[in-house]
């Protein structure tokens, strides 16, 4: 069953439940609802708006409760209303989380070894060094794996050449299916790296633009090749120390995390620590661009859900807290010699 069929079943079930047993909407929130729809350019069919409003109100209450607990010192981060507020948890996971692990996923890469001559600094932020392109938006397509891959590729290209070039996620989506990726139905960054290596290159974003949907035809054009790589490497699984050394000495790293909690969907600011996160059940690919310390250690993570999500498209995730959310479980980077 593909993602669109599953989404249709979820929506249909939710709609029936809403019609038959939903509580009445809160009229005091009418103006807030209208302002939210206007801000995010939301439009609905007449029958759909009622239950989308119900979902929105339910999510708003969760956010308000969490932030009240934050003010009491129970959480290290705040939540905020965003463009996902009209989506149920089930819809959100089906549409936005596209990391698809497989048993044979570590077949062809090598293991990362920290350069012995480099000292690891106390903090790193590759955004400040020109390694990172602006935050992108995968839209309603579970292509996070492709954005995670291009982010790391873009960083390695800058490291090797001094040129920051936005690379094509659509090229990866359309052309790496034979390696096990599935476009808007999910995939793996490592398989994207394998495609770039075996194909001999990847097109730029400008020459092969993103469509936010599956395209059955691969349109890679060698004339617009923007990067070649010499392979890819794995960071030892579960080791935050090795992950820190890798991002400090090499640049942005492709990582996978458990992003299945409501708190991740509505993260806004602060350092994200979720005690209910899994270290093994990962479902979302993102880009690690650095780390630092304020009142606690944190990772700097670039997402692909637009600047409307999180802290201008970023999330600061708890570091050195027993591999919270599995950030060090499956980390890879492309290699340019």
């Amino acid at each position: 069953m593909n993602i669109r069929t599953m989404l249709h079943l979820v929506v249909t079930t939710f709609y029936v439940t809403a019609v038959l047993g939903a509580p009445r909407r809160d009229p005091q929130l009418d103006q807030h609802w209208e302002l939210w729809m206007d801000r995010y350019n939301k439009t609905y069919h007449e029958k759909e708006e009622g239950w989308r409003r119900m979902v929105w109100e339910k999510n708003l209450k969760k956010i308000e409760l969490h932030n009240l607990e934050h003010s009491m010192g129970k959480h290290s981060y705040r939540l905020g209303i965003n463009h996902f507020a009209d989506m149920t948890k089930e819809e959100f996971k089906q549409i936005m989380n596209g990391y698809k692990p497989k048993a044979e996923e570590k077949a062809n890469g090598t293991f990362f070894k920290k350069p012995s001559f480099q000292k690891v600094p106390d903090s790193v932020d590759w955004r400040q060094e020109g390694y990172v392109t602006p935050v992108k938006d995968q839209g309603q397509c579970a292509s996070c794996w492709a954005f995670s891959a291009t982010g790391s590729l873009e960083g390695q290209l800058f490291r090797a050449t001094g040129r920051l070039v936005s690379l094509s996620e659509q090229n990866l989506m359309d052309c790496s299916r034979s390696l096990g990726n599935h476009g808007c139905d999910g995939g793996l960054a490592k398989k994207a790296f394998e495609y770039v290596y075996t194909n001999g290159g990847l097109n730029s974003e400008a020459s092969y633009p993103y469509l936010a949907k599956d395209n059955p035809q691969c349109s890679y054009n060698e004339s617009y090749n923007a990067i070649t790589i010499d392979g890819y490497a794995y960071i030892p699984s579960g080791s935050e120390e090795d992950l820190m050394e890798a991002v400090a000495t090499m640049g942005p790293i492709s990582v996978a995390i458990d992003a299945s909690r409501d708190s991740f969907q509505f993260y806004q600011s602060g350092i994200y620590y979720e005690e209910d996160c899994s270290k093994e059940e990962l479902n979302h690919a993102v880009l690690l661009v650095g780390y630092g310390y304020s009142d606690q250690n944190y990772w700097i993570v670039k997402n692909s859900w637009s600047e409307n999500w999180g802290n201008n498209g970023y999330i600061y995730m708890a570091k050195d807290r027993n591999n919270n959310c599995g950030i060090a479980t499956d980390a890879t980077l492309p290699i340019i010699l």
Side-chain angles (χ1 to χ4, degrees):
M1 183 182 295
N2 64 33
I3 189 170
R4 287 167 178 77
T5 302
M6 296 179 72
L7 177 59
H8 175 73
L9 291 174
V10 169
V11 170
T12 301
T13 301
F14 192 85
Y15 172 73
V16 170
T17 302
V19 170
L20 295 179
R24 293 181 180 274
R25 62 189 187 187
D26 185 349
Q28 295 183 7
L29 294 175
D30 286 350
Q31 184 177 6
H32 296 288
W33 169 248
E34 294 293 335
L35 289 171
W36 177 84
M37 286 199 299
D38 183 64
R39 176 178 179 182
Y40 296 111
N41 297 313
K42 298 282 186 174
T43 58
Y44 308 101
H45 295 296
E46 183 179 353
K47 292 182 178 180
E48 181 188 15
E49 182 174 348
W51 61 269
R52 285 295 176 194
R53 167 70 178 266
M54 186 185 75
V55 173
W56 179 85
E57 288 194 20
K58 182 179 179 181
N59 285 329
L60 180 61
K61 290 176 181 178
K62 288 181 183 178
I63 292 167
E64 290 175 340
L65 177 59
H66 175 97
N67 288 344
L68 176 61
E69 292 177 346
H70 171 270
S71 68
M72 299 167 63
K74 293 185 177 181
H75 305 288
S76 57
Y77 61 96
R78 289 179 56 83
L79 305 183
I81 203 79
N82 59 30
H83 54 309
F84 299 130
D86 60 346
M87 297 174 68
T88 68
K89 182 178 180 179
E90 291 74 20
E91 282 182 286
F92 184 80
K93 288 169 63 176
Q94 290 293 338
I95 295 174
M96 304 307 297
N97 299 149
Y99 168 85
K100 304 290 186 183
K102 293 182 178 180
E104 71 277 13
E105 65 190 44
K106 291 188 177 180
N108 300 311
T110 60
F111 279 96
F112 168 78
K113 293 183 179 180
K114 179 177 76 72
S116 58
F117 57 87
Q118 292 196 27
K119 181 181 178 181
V120 176
D122 293 332
S123 63
V124 168
D125 187 345
W126 290 115
R127 295 175 297 180
Q128 298 177 2
E129 306 299 326
Y131 279 61
V132 185
T133 57
V135 172
K136 301 181 182 182
D137 186 1
Q138 68 188 66
Q140 294 198 356
C141 168
S143 54
C144 58
W145 59 272
F147 286 84
S148 176
T150 57
S152 193
L153 288 162
E154 289 160 358
Q156 290 307 301
L157 180 61
F158 183 86
R159 182 172 183 265
T161 68
R163 295 183 295 110
L164 184 63
V165 179
S166 183
L167 299 173
S168 175
E169 294 81 23
Q170 196 69 43
N171 185 173
L172 295 175
M173 291 169 61
D174 297 346
C175 306
S176 66
R177 290 180 179 273
S178 64
L179 295 168
N181 287 329
H182 301 285
C184 282
D185 287 330
L188 294 168
K190 57 178 64 66
K191 295 299 183 182
F193 299 150
E194 190 170 334
Y195 162 77
V196 178
Y197 174 66
T198 58
N199 183 59
L202 182 71
N203 286 165
S204 67
E205 189 88 62
S207 64
Y208 202 146
Y210 185 62
L211 302 176
K213 63 180 180 180
D214 289 325
N215 182 4
Q217 182 176 351
C218 174
S219 301
Y220 170 78
N221 188 332
E222 186 178 0
S223 300
Y224 298 108
N225 183 46
I227 184 174
T228 57
I229 64 174
D230 297 291
Y232 59 98
Y234 303 103
I235 316 306
S237 182
S239 172
E240 290 190 76
E241 181 178 356
D242 285 323
L243 183 58
M244 180 179 71
E245 292 178 343
V247 72
T249 58
M250 297 298 293
I253 306 289
S254 175
V255 297
I257 57 174
D258 174 12
S260 63
R261 310 300 164 182
D262 291 341
S263 54
F264 197 92
Q265 182 176 347
F266 299 112
Y267 167 83
Q268 184 177 71
S269 62
I271 298 175
Y272 184 80
Y273 174 75
E274 176 56 76
E275 62 181 11
D276 293 329
C277 261
S278 172
K279 290 184 287 187
E280 291 83 27
E281 299 297 321
L282 314 180
N283 65 358
H284 186 49
V286 288
L287 183 70
L288 178 62
V289 302
Y291 58 87
Y293 175 82
S294 55
D295 56 334
Q296 59 179 297
N297 294 340
Y298 60 83
W299 298 108
I300 308 170
V301 177
K302 181 186 181 185
N303 204 351
S304 53
W305 293 345
S306 86
E307 292 183 349
N308 290 323
W309 178 86
N311 193 329
N312 297 314
Y314 284 83
I315 182 171
Y316 297 86
M317 300 186 69
K319 178 177 178 288
D320 303 323
R321 297 195 68 176
N322 195 27
N323 189 21
N324 190 239
C325 295
I327 194 166
T329 299
D330 185 13
T332 53
L333 77 155
I335 301 297
I336 300 178
L337 299 177

